[in-house]
Structure formats: structure tokens, C-alpha cells
Amino acid sequence: MQNNQSQYSLLPAKNSSILQAAEDILSFYPVLKTCLEAIDNLPDIIEYGFLQENDIIVQQGEKGYDIFLICDQKVDVVVHEQLLYSMEGPVVIGEKAIVAPDNIRAATICVTPQHTCFVLKIPLGKFLQNIHDKSIQDTDFTLQAHLFSNFFTRIQKRLLDNISIQKNLWEQVNNTATLLNIQLISKAITAKKIQPWSFPLQESIAAYLKQYFNINWKTVTTIDSENLHTVLLQLLNKLHPASKYKLEPEQYKAKIKLIWNDWITKIATHIVAHMESDLLPISLQDIQLFNPANYHLTLKNTLSNIESTLISKNESSKAEENPLSQFLKPSAQGDLWLDIFSYFNFLDTNYTLIENKRFKADTAQKLTLVASKYENEFNMSIARMRDFLKKIQGLSFDFSSINKSEQRKTKLNKALSIIYRFWHNYNAFNYNTQNAKTHHNEFYYEVGVYPRFIDLLNISAGHMKSVLHTAFAILNQEYNLSLNFNIEDLQRYLYVVFLNKQQQVPFTECKRHLWIPLSENITFHHVTETFPHISRGRLLSTVGWDNEIYTNDSHINESNNAQNYAFTVQDADEILPLAFFIPFEELPWMRSVNPPLDVFNDEYLPLMQWIIGKYIQYIEELNSQLERLNYHKSTIEVSTLQETWIKQFETQALTLTNDTFNAIKQMLKKIFKVNLPANTSSSVISKQLYNQFTVITEQTMTSSSNEEKSNHSYTLWRQALSDIIKLIAKIDSSVFNSTTVTHETPILINLKNELTNLFQQYNIDIKNMIFTTHQDHTEIIINLKGALALLRDSSKNRLDFFNKLLSALSANTQEMLLSLNQTHQEIETLKTAQENEEEQQKMRDLKIKIAVLRNNLQEL
């Protein structure tokens, strides 16, 4: 990131239309409108700039006297190198430093990658006065009093509006940590690496094993991971012997693995729900939330100190009036906020204010510092949770199969460079390549133009051939190209092409070949949409895709297809854009559709099984990504739902059944070591819990500050409420009017039904296909050799079955890619705050004005 203050320029003073447009835009914001009204020559000193990605607008720790209007695009808020959140323009930033001691910036704000921001800068340093300088007239503080009051209102609103971010993020942290704990304990049980559990937990596990597996655990035997593993394995072999299923060994092994994983996951889920929180592999003990009560208390104390020095105009009414209760109002989120302008009006009416403007500027500055302090504390809470999420999601999920370490990327680049050198030498001596048609810089396949990989080997000898083999072996290792297919045979089919920035692979050519992109910079596009999940080394075909394309609810014709799908190269500087392709016309079954069975088994079947295997490999990967994205989406949805439920539990005095109350009481005693009194309403339980956690914190954190104690007790209280809500939803879902959010992938269900119907249509035993979805893992096995062996008629019939199977897998691959893109968009939509229609219309009008001003300034 770099600071680009030099990129700002003054607005053109002689261009009245531009100055007026800038004033109209600034007037939309009360803070900036105050500046315009108070400073006559402000339009003459406003600066503008077009900042590039990663450019720094304000730097944490530096002094600053300027405020900024981010007119469009996105900026990132970073504290101590931790990204807190992104803000989308138009938005005002930088006002906190104006009132901070020594005007120190509390955060770094920089332009989000792949964005170019239009920014207006308003320098205020020369207009701010030292409040404690008695030589300055009281009336000279009129601007600062109004300006600081606006600053306080903005920062307070931002703080209280964003409290919901902390609450929802906490639920995401809580849910993700629970999922990861289940995964880690499952793996540890399978590996027999967990130490013996506590006696109460062993009792709970024993009861669970009796209820769900009918296992009577001997009380003299300790329940640890090794003993549990042994007992479950014996039960698995007893209930699911190989003789029960007519499956190939590999298929039976896959099925048993799925059953085992299902058992272990259920047991791990029970363990996580009943284990003490501080003993879990991933504990939330180190996360401390920001408690809004600290802000309210400090705000009250600050105002009380100020009011204690005031002289009342009516002494008899002073004791009766309580200004604080009148002007501290509940926000939409239930937190209190101060209406500072109404508060000042009240003071004007009821108190004699010496040096009125100076007093208001001083008071507004003090209150702004209070709000700023707690917003910084809130930001640190968000930073800790985001950092925690980033770490545990890194342990749990690999959201992108494309990301590689630098060492791996260097290894791949070397392999690509070697292949490129051989490819370049081949082209230098190949007449057909030298005279190939360019077709307007679009890739176009002609016989004899592009080499097969085996052709590159044939122009090499000795040591050089070994080098090329090594390069191919690296690709095979990284991308699992062969899938047990003979590498030498595979090299006869794979054609090699290095694309460049000027080349594109249009849809007409996409349809003619099977494609295997091997470089990160080769992307696949549909109209203007990019598929970010074209994993390297995966097989891709657009067979049947043209039938899935719609424009204005109608099919588009073949001539338009070329504009709808294409491979393109994003950036060829770092990694050479290599792709393999297999022309359909080069496939054996395109030369003869009804070969003798021995020829079919020797030449056709291995390649067909390889193609199906590559497709299944890709579908499993896409499904895994889709499940994880859906899980991420559901955590956002569930966290929002749970926050609503917590609010109901906390405020609406829900009536709980005796069973539900007893379950809550037992859980709180085991996990949080707190006792609940007799059954009562939910709102009373919430208050009792908060008071008990406050007492416990006072006893255990004697050397900590009051704010640290308050934050700790608030965090424990939030954790307890989260666990209570989960428990209630499990025991009695009727308490909350909602539905459970799932992250299933219906595409897989449709594919399973489609393949099942296809197998039945050809009278093939469905046992030749295993298709099972198990939480975070999907297993698909199609024994093509075994399936086709059941078709005892012609090879042509077998090819018909294969082509239909291929078309189904290809179409579902496309559907998964489209669904991944759609889910990404849905997640972004969920993250965007909903505004009322009136505010949206005002914002749309403002954005139009900003766009016009931006264009006018760019033309200059």
C-alpha cells in the first residue's frame, strides 16, 4: 500500500458548474454541509483525486486534519494490518482525527483491490481553534461547536449501527468453531489420538452410545478414543460385512468409509455439545466482545461531570429535572444514544452557560472522544473475531483449490517453462504451425497445427526427453491428470496449446474439444460473467451447454453462442497460460461407433473411464466448494436468525417448558458453572445470567480494569445465550417461528436421480454406481467397465450410454459453476445492509450526481 497525497488537485475555481455540483454533493452530509455553511471559501480549497487500488487515503498513527468523501467504489478499513471491513462509497471518513488528541488517525483506510476511487478531500486544519486558548473570542467557536456535534452524532450512529455486526459475527465465530471442533474431534477419534475424557463426559458418551448404537459400555472400561475406535469398528464389521453388498472391493471400501464417517461425526457432535468449552480443541476463551454498556456508563459519567459545574437558571427545578434520561434514547438495536442537539437546546433553556459556543465545542469534543474511544474498542473486537475466523476457517476449509504456496507455484512455473520451450521448438520447425490461420486472434484447431504431448517427446532425445517427462510428472502430481490411466497412453491424446493475451477460445472451439486448463490465468467466461471455479487440471467440456443458454426467456441461436462462452487469458506475465485439449474428432469412437468388443475394451474403454473419472473428480470438488459456500451463507443467515431469537429470549419473557428449562439449567451448570434458580421466564433468566457472570468476573479478574471485567462478563453472557438458543431450537423448535437453514446441494440430488434413471433405462444394476452425500464429503463412484459389461449387445449401444452419461455430467458441471457464482452473489447481498426505499432513492440520486462530477473532472 502506498500513500498518494500528491494525486489530489484543487477543483477548477473558474468552473462554476463543477463547484456547484461539488457543493450539492457535500451538502448531502450534515458534517460537510456545516463546513460549507460556515466557511465561505471552502469550495475554493476542496481537492479531488482518483486513487488506485491499495492507495492509502489515511494512515493509522499519522496526524490528520482533513476529512474525505469517498464518492464511489470501495475502501478497506485496516487496524494493525487486520482488515476489519470494507465500506462502499459514498461515505465520509476521517472525522475522528479532527477531535482526537494530537489528531492521530485511528485506522488505515485504503482503496480496495481492483477499484479506483473518486475522492473529495476537505482540509479543515486551518479553521480549527484551540478551545483552551482564552485569547480567542467565544463566537469564533461557532463552527467548531456545530462541527464537533455533527462528528459526535456520526460516530455514535456508526458505533451503535455496527453493534449488530459484532453480534452477528459472534454467532458466525461460534457456529464455525463448533463445526471445526466436530471435524477435529472426528479426525482425532479416527486417529485414536484423544486423551481420556472427564468422567461426566464419559457418562454422557456412554448414554449416547446406548441410545443410538445399542452399545452397553462396560463401566470398568475407560471411554477414550482408542477404546471407542475399537468398539465402533467391531460393530461396523458386524452390521455391514462385505457379503451384505455385491460390490467391487474399492466400492465396498468407499461405502464403509461413508458409514464410518457418519457414525464418528454424530458422536463428535454429541461430545462438542457436552464438553467443557475451555477443553475443546478450538476454544473461544480468548475472544472478548465489546460491551455497549461501557459506552453508556462512560457517556453518563461524562455528562454528569459536565452538568455538576453548570448553574441552573431555576434552582428549584434543578433537582426535579433529569436531562440525561430525556436525551438518551433507545436506538433501533435497543442501545442508548444521545441526541446532542436537543440536549444543548435544553441546556440553553435551563442553565446559564458561560462562553456558550466554547462550552458546546468543548462538550461535543469530549463526547466525540468518548464515542471514538469505544468505536476503536469495538473495531478491535471485530478485528479479533475476523482474525479468529480467518485462522479457524483456514484449519477447516480450503475455499480455493487454486491458491498455492510460493514453492509450489515456482515448481509449476518451471514445469510450464520446460513444456513451453519444447512447444516453441516444435512450432519453429513445423510448417503447418507457421502458416496456421489466426482467425482474428481466436484459437482455431486444424489438423497438424497443434502438437500432442507425445509429439513433443518425439522431437526430443535422451536427456531432453527425460526433462520433458519430469515436467509432465510434476503436472500429473499437482493436478492428478492420469487418475490411474496409463500416462504414456494419455500423452497420445493430449494436445498442447499456449495461449496469449490476444487469443481467445470462442464457444465454437470450446464445443469441439475437451479442455484441461493448467494455468491460473486462463479463465472461462459466460457473457460478462467469469467463472472463478475453473480449477486447474480439471476436465471441462461444453457438450450440451448451448441448450442451457437463454436470452430474454428464449433460446439463442447457434450463431450467437460464440459470444456466450469463451476461454481468455487474464495476465500472461507471471505464469505461462498452458492448456491441454482433446479434439472430439480425434477420439476413437468418432472414427468407428461400433468396433469389435475386444477393440472396444482395449482402446475405447480406458479413455472413456478416464473421462468419466475426471468429470466425477471435478463434480466432487465443485460440490465441496458449493457446500462450503452454502455453509458460509447459512452461517450468515443462521447468525441473523439466532440474533433475532436471542433478542426474543432476552426481552419477550418467553415461557419455557419444564423439560426445556431443566436442559438449560443442566447445560449452564456443566459448561459455565452457574446455577439457575426456579423455573421462570426467559427475560428474567437473561438478567440473572448477566448478574451471575458479573459476580464471577469480579471474583476471578481482580487485577483487571472495570471495562475489561465488563467486556468479559458480557462475552460469557453472549456465549451462554447462544448455547441456550441452540439447545432450545433442538429441544423445542416451536418456541421460535422460523425454519432451519440447510446447506444441501439440490444439484447433486438431481444428478443422482438423472444417473439412476439412465442406469435403469439401460437395465444396468444400480450397484455399479455409488453416489452418497455425507455432510462435508461427497463420494461418487461409477464403475464404467462393470456397467458396460452388462450391456451384452453392440458397442454402439455402449457408446450411446456413455455419451448420455457424459452429457449429464457436463450439464451438471455447468449448473454447479453457475450455482457457485450465484451463491457468491447471494452472500454479498446478505452482507449488504437493507435500507428503506426513501433512503435508497436519495442514495441513487446522490450517486448519479457523483458520476456526473467524476466524468466532468476526468474530462479535464
Side-chain angles (χ1 to χ4, degrees):
M1 295 187 292
Q2 55 182 349
N3 208 322
N4 278 284
Q5 298 296 326
S6 61
Q7 291 191 7
Y8 293 101
S9 305
L10 285 171
L11 289 174
K14 296 182 179 180
N15 193 321
S16 58
S17 62
I18 285 182
L19 291 176
Q20 184 60 50
E23 286 191 42
D24 291 343
I25 291 169
L26 295 176
S27 296
F28 183 84
Y29 296 91
V31 170
L32 305 183
K33 186 177 181 181
T34 301
C35 299
L36 290 170
E37 293 172 347
I39 304 174
D40 294 334
N41 64 336
L42 183 61
D44 298 335
I45 63 172
I46 295 175
E47 300 177 32
Y48 73 94
F50 296 97
L51 276 66
Q52 307 300 313
E53 61 176 324
N54 297 322
D55 282 353
I56 293 175
I57 301 172
V58 299
Q59 176 71 57
Q60 182 181 8
E62 290 185 353
K63 286 189 177 183
Y65 296 91
D66 308 320
I67 56 179
F68 301 84
L69 174 60
I70 310 300
C71 294
D72 55 12
Q73 304 299 316
K74 285 185 178 181
V75 294
D76 293 336
V77 180
V78 179
V79 174
H80 300 310
E81 300 183 358
Q82 172 64 48
L83 174 65
L84 299 186
Y85 50 83
S86 297
M87 298 187 295
E88 187 170 357
V91 63
V92 176
I93 63 169
E95 70 273 30
K96 284 166 67 173
I98 305 300
V99 295
D102 299 322
N103 305 101
I104 299 299
R105 302 290 189 188
T108 294
I109 299 180
C110 57
V111 181
T112 302
Q114 300 181 0
H115 288 74
T116 301
C117 282
F118 171 39
V119 181
L120 294 178
K121 182 173 77 170
I122 303 94
L124 290 179
K126 64 179 69 176
F127 302 104
L128 299 177
Q129 310 275 11
N130 181 359
I131 292 175
H132 304 291
D133 188 345
K134 297 300 181 180
S135 65
I136 302 175
Q137 297 293 321
D138 179 64
T139 53
D140 291 341
F141 291 102
T142 302
L143 166 65
Q144 271 173 262
H146 201 55
L147 197 60
F148 287 179
S149 297
N150 270 317
F151 284 164
F152 168 74
T153 300
R154 271 184 50 77
I155 295 170
Q156 176 183 241
K157 183 178 186 304
R158 193 166 60 215
L159 170 62
L160 297 180
D161 284 350
N162 287 341
I163 289 298
S164 60
I165 293 178
Q166 175 179 261
K167 293 175 179 177
N168 290 336
L169 189 58
W170 168 258
E171 297 305 323
Q172 288 185 51
V173 166
N174 202 8
N175 292 335
T176 305
T178 299
L179 176 70
L180 181 55
N181 278 321
I182 291 171
Q183 292 178 341
L184 293 177
I185 290 178
S186 297
K187 292 177 180 177
I189 292 175
T190 300
K192 300 184 284 189
K193 289 184 179 179
I194 294 182
Q195 297 299 319
W197 292 291
S198 65
F199 183 71
L201 183 58
Q202 290 188 56
E203 286 186 322
S204 177
I205 296 172
Y208 184 83
L209 294 174
K210 172 62 178 175
Q211 181 179 358
Y212 291 96
F213 296 93
N214 198 26
I215 296 175
N216 292 309
W217 197 277
K218 297 178 181 179
T219 54
V220 296
T221 306
T222 302
I223 299 182
D224 57 24
S225 58
E226 186 170 358
N227 291 334
L228 182 61
H229 185 283
T230 301
V231 170
L232 287 175
L233 192 59
Q234 290 173 352
L235 181 64
L236 184 66
N237 293 331
K238 179 181 178 181
L239 296 180
H240 302 280
S243 58
K244 185 176 179 180
Y245 306 96
K246 296 179 180 179
L247 296 173
E248 296 291 329
E250 287 299 317
Q251 293 175 294
Y252 171 72
K253 183 179 178 181
K255 187 173 187 65
I256 291 300
K257 181 182 176 182
L258 288 170
I259 297 172
W260 173 265
N261 288 339
D262 183 56
W263 286 9
I264 294 299
T265 300
K266 288 179 179 177
I267 293 172
T269 302
H270 177 82
I271 291 172
V272 169
H274 292 79
M275 181 181 283
E276 294 86 344
S277 58
D278 56 334
L279 298 179
L280 289 167
I282 303 298
S283 175
L284 302 181
Q285 296 292 315
D286 296 332
I287 292 185
Q288 296 298 315
L289 299 180
F290 160 69
N291 187 355
N294 289 340
Y295 170 67
H296 302 148
L297 181 62
T298 306
L299 196 63
K300 290 178 182 180
N301 291 338
T302 303
L303 290 174
S304 296
N305 292 335
I306 292 171
E307 291 164 15
S308 65
T309 65
L310 300 181
I311 302 173
S312 175
K313 292 179 180 179
N314 185 356
E315 282 295 329
S316 62
S317 65
K318 184 173 182 180
E320 299 172 1
E321 297 290 348
N322 185 358
L324 202 61
S325 63
Q326 294 184 46
F327 303 107
L328 277 176
K329 302 177 179 179
S331 69
Q333 289 74 33
D335 299 300
L336 298 177
W337 64 280
L338 174 67
D339 183 347
I340 191 171
F341 294 105
S342 297
Y343 179 70
F344 281 161
N345 289 337
F346 176 86
L347 295 183
D348 282 333
T349 304
N350 293 277
Y351 293 85
T352 300
L353 303 179
I354 300 173
E355 293 193 290
N356 187 298
K357 305 304 180 185
R358 189 193 300 268
F359 167 80
K360 290 181 180 177
D362 186 32
T363 300
Q365 183 178 28
K366 289 177 180 176
L367 294 174
T368 305
L369 289 173
V370 170
S372 298
K373 173 195 172 187
Y374 286 107
E375 186 181 41
N376 292 341
E377 186 178 314
F378 164 81
N379 286 341
M380 290 308 300
S381 169
I382 295 295
R384 285 192 296 268
M385 283 193 286
R386 291 198 187 281
D387 187 52
F388 183 82
L389 264 181
K390 184 178 179 181
K391 289 179 181 177
I392 66 176
Q393 285 176 340
L395 289 171
S396 179
F397 299 135
D398 178 16
F399 283 101
S400 172
S401 62
I402 300 173
N403 292 333
K404 304 175 179 71
S405 65
E406 288 302 315
Q407 183 177 5
R408 182 182 177 194
K409 187 174 290 187
T410 301
K411 185 178 178 182
L412 284 171
N413 279 345
K414 182 178 180 181
L416 295 179
S417 298
I418 291 171
I419 297 173
Y420 176 76
R421 188 165 70 248
F422 281 85
W423 180 81
H424 182 76
N425 292 338
Y426 178 90
N427 291 344
F429 296 101
N430 187 280
Y431 176 82
N432 291 328
T433 302
Q434 294 173 351
N435 295 278
K437 298 178 182 178
T438 60
H439 286 264
H440 306 291
N441 290 323
E442 288 186 342
F443 169 88
Y444 182 78
Y445 170 71
E446 290 181 304
V447 176
V449 172
Y450 294 98
R452 296 173 299 167
F453 200 91
I454 200 168
D455 295 329
L456 301 185
L457 286 169
N458 289 337
I459 66 167
S460 313
H463 169 68
M464 298 306 295
K465 182 176 292 188
S466 175
V467 169
L468 190 57
H469 260 301
T470 300
F472 187 85
I474 290 173
L475 296 181
N476 182 47
Q477 178 184 2
E478 294 295 332
Y479 298 129
N480 197 11
L481 293 176
S482 64
L483 281 177
N484 300 322
F485 187 66
N486 188 291
I487 290 182
E488 283 69 24
D489 289 340
L490 183 61
Q491 290 169 349
R492 293 191 293 116
Y493 293 106
L494 296 179
Y495 282 74
V496 184
V497 59
F498 280 87
L499 303 172
N500 56 56
K501 284 185 178 180
Q502 287 71 42
Q503 274 187 311
Q504 185 182 65
V505 182
F507 182 68
T508 51
E509 287 298 303
C510 291
K511 285 180 61 176
R512 292 179 62 193
H513 318 284
L514 292 166
W515 287 91
I516 306 178
L518 294 172
S519 305
E520 292 180 351
N521 41 19
I522 297 179
T523 60
F524 192 59
H525 297 272
H526 168 236
V527 193
T528 57
E529 186 176 26
T530 300
F531 290 102
H533 304 280
I534 305 297
S535 299
R536 313 311 139 191
R538 298 293 180 256
L539 191 68
L540 190 68
S541 168
T542 55
V543 173
W545 283 29
D546 49 335
N547 294 327
E548 301 293 329
I549 305 172
Y550 295 87
T551 301
N552 297 327
D553 297 325
S554 62
H555 286 284
I556 64 174
N557 58 42
E558 175 68 20
S559 62
N560 289 331
N561 284 345
Q563 282 74 46
N564 281 271
Y565 289 97
F567 284 109
T568 57
V569 178
Q570 293 285 35
D571 184 2
D573 294 334
E574 184 178 1
I575 298 178
L576 296 168
L578 168 67
F580 290 155
F581 67 94
I582 303 176
F584 280 118
E585 60 192 65
E586 297 280 321
L587 296 173
W589 47 91
M590 296 301 293
R591 297 193 294 270
S592 173
V593 297
N594 196 14
L597 287 181
D598 57 340
V599 175
F600 178 87
N601 290 330
D602 292 341
E603 297 185 14
Y604 289 42
L605 190 57
L607 184 59
M608 292 163 64
Q609 182 70 68
W610 176 81
I611 291 174
I612 296 300
K614 289 297 290 182
Y615 261 114
I616 290 174
Q617 185 183 23
Y618 197 16
I619 287 175
E620 286 181 342
E621 179 184 302
L622 291 175
N623 179 69
S624 180
Q625 292 183 34
L626 190 55
E627 284 183 339
R628 291 164 184 172
L629 273 183
N630 280 331
Y631 174 78
H632 181 46
K633 174 187 167 186
S634 72
T635 57
I636 299 175
E637 294 172 331
V638 168
S639 65
T640 304
L641 279 175
Q642 288 177 342
E643 179 55 36
T644 302
W645 299 342
I646 288 173
K647 200 68 179 177
Q648 292 177 22
F649 185 89
E650 181 186 353
T651 61
Q652 294 185 13
L654 302 174
T655 302
L656 305 175
T657 65
N658 288 333
D659 289 343
T660 302
F661 176 81
N662 289 333
I664 293 173
K665 187 174 181 178
Q666 186 179 12
M667 183 267 291
L668 291 174
K669 185 175 182 179
K670 279 187 175 181
I671 298 178
F672 295 98
K673 308 297 188 296
V674 297
N675 293 305
L676 284 181
N679 193 351
T680 184
S681 67
S682 63
S683 59
V684 175
I685 290 176
S686 176
K687 292 175 183 177
Q688 290 173 337
L689 277 178
Y690 189 86
N691 292 336
Q692 289 197 46
F693 284 133
T694 300
V695 172
I696 292 172
T697 302
E698 287 288 343
Q699 295 172 347
T700 57
M701 298 178 64
T702 54
S703 60
S704 301
S705 67
N706 289 332
E707 287 186 358
E708 289 174 332
K709 294 176 183 177
S710 177
N711 287 338
H712 183 69
S713 59
Y714 180 81
T715 304
L716 290 174
W717 174 69
R718 285 293 308 186
Q719 174 69 63
L721 288 188
S722 297
D723 289 347
I724 287 173
I725 292 303
K726 292 177 183 177
L727 186 60
I728 293 176
K730 182 179 179 180
I731 296 175
D732 186 5
S733 58
S734 63
V735 174
F736 305 110
N737 298 320
S738 63
T739 56
T740 303
V741 179
T742 63
H743 52 278
E744 295 178 344
T745 51
I747 298 172
L748 276 181
I749 298 174
N750 295 336
L751 177 58
K752 178 181 179 180
N753 294 335
E754 190 175 347
L755 295 181
T756 300
N757 292 335
L758 179 61
F759 272 60
Q760 292 174 347
Q761 178 184 344
Y762 282 82
N763 296 318
I764 300 175
D765 191 345
I766 202 66
K767 291 182 179 178
N768 285 281
M769 174 181 68
I770 292 181
F771 196 111
T772 308
T773 304
H774 168 72
Q775 293 189 358
D776 62 339
H777 178 73
T778 299
E779 191 81 29
I780 309 172
I781 297 177
I782 297 178
N783 184 356
L784 189 63
K785 180 179 180 181
L788 295 182
L790 300 175
L791 296 177
R792 302 192 179 279
D793 46 5
S794 66
S795 296
K796 184 178 184 304
N797 199 29
R798 300 183 179 193
L799 282 175
D800 288 339
F801 171 80
F802 168 75
N803 287 329
K804 290 179 181 179
L805 179 60
L806 181 64
S807 182
L809 294 174
S810 177
N812 279 272
T813 301
Q814 181 212 20
E815 191 174 351
M816 281 190 165
L817 289 169
L818 290 172
S819 183
L820 280 166
N821 282 16
Q822 181 182 353
T823 305
H824 267 299
Q825 295 170 4
E826 290 172 352
I827 289 174
E828 290 302 314
T829 301
L830 285 172
K831 290 179 179 178
T832 304
Q834 298 298 314
E835 300 172 337
N836 61 52
E837 182 57 34
E838 182 180 353
E839 290 299 318
Q840 288 181 350
Q841 185 58 50
K842 289 180 180 178
M843 189 57 65
R844 284 193 288 267
D845 294 341
L846 177 64
K847 287 182 178 180
I848 291 173
K849 293 179 181 179
I850 287 174
V852 172
L853 178 60
R854 177 176 186 147
N855 291 336
N856 289 339
L857 289 172
Q858 283 179 322
E859 289 176 2
L860 293 175

